[in-house]
Each structure stands twice: as structure tokens, then as C-alpha cells.
Amino acid sequence: MKKKFNSLFVILLAMAMIFAFGSCSDDGDEDSVKTYTVSYETRLGTVPDSITVKEGTVLSQTHLPSLNQSEYTFEGWYEKDTDIKAEVGVYTVKNDVVLQASWTYTITLGVNGGSGRQTESVKVPVHRSTYVSDRNTSDDIVTLPTPEEVGMTAPTGKKFVCWNTEPDGSGLSVRAGEDDVYTECLFNNHYTLGNSAYTEQVRTLHAIWRESSAKIATQRTAEAVLAELKNGDTLIFIGNAPNNSWTYSDKELNSKYLNDENKKIILDLSYHAGYLGHENIGVGLDYRYFVNCDSIVKVIIGKRVAGNASYCFEGCSNLTTVEFSGSETKIPARAFSGCALSSVTLPDTVRTINEYAFQSNKQLVSITIPANVTQIEEFAFLYCTALTSVTFTNTEGWKVRKNSEDKSPIAISVTDSATNATNLLSGGDWWGKQLIRK
């Protein structure tokens, strides 16, 4: 009996030890399970709270909630800055992860004077990340169809140029067909840097039609179109914010194909859209963009061409005519230096004429300075040897400085147009209504 009791005691003791060991082992396994944080980002609507889950958790609908936002369609959750979609019942958490909401919305394309199909709806993604540096996913770009691809027909004698936010083509130009468009450009209607305020979101685009004989160049078609230009052609250059300027190598293309003085070309930048919110000629044209292009005889500046295009048309020796859009606030430095302008009509919006802006336009006889101009920098009309008349619309408050640092300006009368021409030809003085250069 005693032996049986001892044996039973040993068995019970062993079972207790096994149980205790097993319990310890389970506790250890429990402690070793890793947990990760799932956090969320969404450019629209309410951001869900972050959650903590165990490693290997398969996310359910609770973890991947559907979102609602007026005028937008929620398309699901994606790993931040990737095209990996977090599918309900499939996506497994293996580390800390940020999930970004994917949205789309609809843009309406209008035929705008053409025939056939009058409108077409196109689904456009909202780029999941605000920052430019994060543009590396499939929602970064969209390719819009041409009117022909959606059943629209051009007016007689016309051809498609681009889509535009305004029916008259004065808005943001958006290319179609093979050319990719940044979705952020459509969502914000300007080149967003960081968390800029959203402005003028594109919801409707209008087909822009021009004469069939016009030559249309985009960033991708530039060389082929430039190579085929003939005397008398109109070259329509389509830029597209934010990807709206050719590269340095394309400046070389301009020099290569637009330097024949026997091939007269009209350069039409009516639809060359710069970043919205800017107001001076030049963004998308760039520094020295068309320098020494002797083929150009006329330039038409579009309303959305913006920025600072110093030296842009310098040395275009056959450029006789410039049509400003009426939205420019300054004439950049050397922008038209060495051209052949015989007359210039500056828009009322201009406030500053930068240094050497019209230097060596030896056919320029007269010019009127608009009322809003408050500064004419040094040598703006240097070597304009035929200049005999400079008329100031607003003659009050003008002063002359010897340079930009001169803090003792001298008042000057600008009522006599001939005297004004003589004084401006002398070159080095700064004319203005303020002491500090803006």
C-alpha cells in the first residue's frame, strides 16, 4: 500500500511539474508575440485612429473601414507610397505600417464647339501623398483621352490642341493622348509643394480647336514637330503644369531648328500654362529658352504663362511683334534684348520693366509706359537708337536713382515724351516710385 501511495505521489508530482512547465512555456510564448501599429492617412475626410495588432494579424473590415466623402469615390487602402493594396481578409501585418486611403473623382470632358459626343466622364485618381517627393505610385499620373477617342468630332477645318479649364483656352492646359498628366495638377490645379491650400480643382475640361495647318508641339513631340516646320507656320507649344517646360536639351532643339532667318515662324504660347497663382511671363519658358531663335517673327503670350523668363527671347533678331496676354506684371531682364521690335504695347498690369529688357531693339521708335509701372531698371532701353518718344500714362511721383542702392533719389518730370526717350537712352539710372527695389 505504501509503495502504491509513493508511486501515486511521484506520478502526481510529475504531472504537476509538467503542468507548471507547460504553463511557463505558454506564458513565454505569449510574451514573445510581437505587436505592430497600423496607422492611417487620408487626404479627404476623417482619419481613423491608429490600432495595435499582433504580428500575423489578417486585417478585417473593422481594420480597413470604408470611407465616405461627397463627390469622391473611396477605392481602398494601400501601403504608404506603394501600389500594394490592403485587401480585407488577405492583408497580413508583418511590421508597423501606414495605410493611405485611395480616392477617385470624375472630370467631365466637353466637345466645346465640335460635334458628335458632347461630353465624356473620366475617372481620375487623387494622389495619395501630398508631397512631391513621394510621387512614385500609379496614382501619380493619368492619361486623358483625345476627343476622337471618345467620339467627339473636330469643327470643320480645325484640329484638337489640348484640353483646357476654360472654353476660350485661357485656363490651365492639359495634354491628351500619349502625354501623361500629373494627377496632383488636376486635383490642386497648381504644383503643390507640401500642404498648400487647394485651389480651383479641375472638374471640367473643354476641347480646344485650332486651324488644321497649325503645328502643335508637346514635350514628347517637340523634336519631330520642330524638324518639320516650314516658312509661315504657326507653332503652338503646349506646356502642362506642373510638367510644363522642356529640358535644357530642348533648348538646344530650339537653337537647332529655329535659327533659320529665312524660315519665318509665329510662336503661339496661348495654351502654354504655367502654375496657377503666378502672374509674370516665363514659367515653363525658362531662362534663355528661345535665345537667338532667328526664325521667330511673332510671339503670342498666353494668360497662364507665368514666372521669370530672363533672356527668354534675347537675340531673336527677326522678332518684330509680341502680343502680351494682359496678365503680366513685369518684363523680365533681357527678355527681348536684341530683337527687332518696332513697337510695343505693354499691358496695364505691368508694374516693373527689368534691366536690359528691351536693349538693342534698334527699330523701336516709341513706347507708352502704363499707369501701374512703378519701376524701370537700368539700361532697359539701352541702344534703342531709334527711340524718340516715351510716354508715361501716369506722370506723378517719378524719381531717378543712380543704382539700386541709391537712397537719395532725385525727382524728375516725365511729361515730355522726347526728353524721356533721351534720358532713358542714357542707360544707367533707375527710374521708380519707391526707394527699395521690389
Side-chain angles (χ1 to χ4, degrees):
M1 183 72 178
K2 186 175 181 180
K3 289 184 178 179
K4 288 183 179 180
F5 176 79
N6 289 339
S7 297
L8 181 60
F9 176 77
V10 171
I11 292 171
L12 291 174
L13 180 62
M15 291 176 65
M17 293 177 65
I18 292 172
F19 178 77
F21 180 78
S23 297
C24 292
S25 298
D26 289 344
D27 290 343
D29 289 344
E30 186 72 25
D31 292 341
S32 66
V33 173
K34 295 180 179 179
T35 60
Y36 293 112
T37 300
V38 179
S39 54
Y40 305 88
E41 290 182 359
T42 175
R43 297 190 67 181
L44 301 168
T46 303
V47 181
D49 293 332
S50 299
I51 60 174
T52 300
V53 297
K54 294 179 181 180
E55 182 179 26
T57 297
V58 177
L59 298 187
S60 66
Q61 186 67 61
T62 302
H63 305 124
L64 299 171
S66 294
L67 304 180
N68 293 298
Q69 183 72 20
S70 177
E71 299 185 352
Y72 295 88
T73 301
F74 177 68
E75 303 289 354
W77 295 98
Y78 287 77
E79 284 189 8
K80 182 179 176 66
D81 301 331
T82 76
D83 287 324
I84 300 174
K85 188 173 184 179
E87 300 278 6
V88 173
V90 176
Y91 186 81
T92 303
V93 177
K94 301 176 182 178
N95 44 43
D96 291 332
V97 64
V98 177
L99 298 179
Q100 293 177 314
S102 174
W103 301 91
T104 58
Y105 64 102
T106 300
I107 287 179
T108 300
L109 306 178
V111 71
N112 194 27
S115 58
R117 192 182 187 96
Q118 294 300 295
T119 61
E120 174 71 10
S121 296
V122 177
K123 183 183 285 189
V124 174
V126 177
H127 196 272
R128 297 190 293 273
S129 183
T130 304
Y131 293 93
V132 176
S133 60
D134 296 329
R135 291 182 170 170
N136 55 7
T137 49
S138 60
D139 59 352
D140 182 23
I141 58 174
V142 64
T143 300
L144 297 181
T146 63
E148 293 80 4
E149 290 172 338
V150 295
M152 298 177 181
T153 304
T156 302
K158 304 283 188 178
K159 67 180 178 181
F160 176 70
V161 176
C162 61
W163 300 106
N164 197 277
T165 54
E166 299 295 334
D168 64 357
S170 63
L172 176 73
S173 294
V174 182
R175 300 188 297 259
E178 295 183 357
D179 287 302
D180 297 326
V181 179
Y182 282 133
T183 55
E184 188 67 11
C185 161
L186 301 175
F187 184 62
N188 277 353
N189 208 351
H190 66 85
Y191 196 37
T192 302
L193 298 174
N195 291 300
S196 299
Y198 305 149
T199 59
E200 300 185 60
Q201 186 177 106
V202 175
R203 288 289 183 164
T204 303
L205 291 170
H206 308 273
I208 300 300
W209 312 99
R210 285 290 298 270
E211 62 277 8
S212 298
S213 60
K215 308 302 179 184
I216 302 169
T218 68
Q219 194 170 26
R220 291 189 177 184
T221 65
E223 182 161 19
V225 173
L226 290 172
E228 295 177 356
L229 287 175
K230 297 180 176 58
N231 186 46
D233 279 346
T234 295
L235 172 63
I236 299 175
F237 174 49
I238 306 299
N240 185 88
N243 188 23
N244 70 337
S245 62
W246 296 342
T247 62
Y248 181 78
S249 62
D250 294 310
K251 297 179 191 179
E252 295 177 340
L253 291 180
N254 294 339
S255 179
K256 178 179 179 180
Y257 293 109
L258 296 176
N259 65 352
D260 184 355
E261 63 181 12
N262 295 314
K263 184 168 61 178
K264 311 301 183 186
I265 301 298
I266 296 174
L267 178 63
D268 190 340
L269 301 172
S270 296
Y271 317 111
H272 186 71
Y275 315 150
L276 303 194
H278 294 258
E279 48 193 1
N280 311 310
I281 68 169
V283 163
L285 299 181
D286 205 0
Y287 172 80
R288 300 179 67 87
Y289 198 78
F290 292 102
V291 68
N292 296 330
C293 290
D294 294 332
S295 297
I296 300 174
V297 296
K298 179 179 179 179
V299 173
I300 302 170
I301 306 291
K303 288 185 178 180
R304 295 293 191 178
V305 177
N308 186 351
S310 299
Y311 296 77
C312 187
F313 297 100
E314 184 184 38
C316 294
S317 61
N318 290 305
L319 178 57
T320 60
T321 305
V322 176
E323 290 186 9
F324 294 99
S325 69
S327 61
E328 299 84 2
T329 60
K330 72 175 179 179
I331 308 301
R334 297 184 186 268
F336 301 102
S337 175
C339 296
L341 302 175
S342 58
S343 65
V344 177
T345 301
L346 297 176
D348 293 337
T349 51
V350 170
R351 297 195 297 265
T352 302
I353 301 174
N354 285 153
E355 57 192 11
Y356 300 95
F358 295 103
Q359 175 192 240
S360 296
N361 277 264
K362 297 183 178 181
Q363 289 79 28
L364 185 62
V365 176
S366 64
I367 189 170
T368 296
I369 307 300
N372 289 319
V373 172
T374 59
Q375 185 159 295
I376 302 174
E377 296 183 358
E378 74 266 41
F379 305 114
F381 296 96
L382 184 66
Y383 301 136
C384 294
T385 52
L387 187 64
T388 57
S389 176
V390 178
T391 302
F392 284 76
T393 305
N394 185 343
T395 60
E396 300 298 323
W398 283 92
K399 299 177 181 180
V400 173
R401 293 176 288 162
K402 295 302 179 184
N403 53 58
S404 61
E405 305 301 325
D406 185 356
K407 299 301 190 294
S408 301
I410 301 172
I412 186 173
S413 172
V414 295
T415 57
D416 185 81
S417 60
T419 302
N420 294 338
T422 300
N423 289 337
L424 284 169
L425 282 171
S426 66
D429 294 336
W430 287 60
W431 294 41
K433 296 186 178 185
Q434 66 277 330
L435 297 180
I436 305 300
R437 178 181 180 181
K438 289 186 177 180

